[in-house]
Amino acid sequence: MGVIMIKCPRTGRAINTGMKSDRETFRRSTVFFSRSYCTSCRTNHEWFARDAWVHEPEQELRKAS
């Protein structure tokens, strides 16, 4: 299970949306629109699922081993 991330359009930093999913489930999900609060620039960003990705740190650790 990972966290759905987006990129802050102002700072370019990755933002945790607070939503969780695995990559395969997220890839198969219907196109949706959402809003997330950005702690980098302290505003809400509107985004579509196509602009997001799933960050699964445990998967990256397994690949490195």
Side-chain angles (χ1 to χ4, degrees), residues 25-55:
T25 302
F26 185 70
R27 186 184 66 77
R28 289 190 315 250
S29 67
T30 58
V31 174
F32 64 88
F33 174 80
S34 189
R35 291 180 184 89
S36 295
Y37 180 75
C38 175
T39 56
S40 293
C41 66
R42 298 188 176 133
T43 190
N44 285 307
H45 296 308
E46 297 177 340
W47 55 276
F48 286 97
R50 68 174 178 265
D51 301 320
W53 69 95
V54 177
H55 176 66

Side-chain angles (χ1 to χ4, degrees), residues 1-4 16-23 25-26 54-55:
M1 186 68 65
V3 180
I4 299 173
N16 179 337
T17 64
M19 302 167 86
K20 294 183 179 183
S21 181
D22 62 81
R23 288 182 183 156
T25 302
F26 185 70
V54 177
H55 176 66

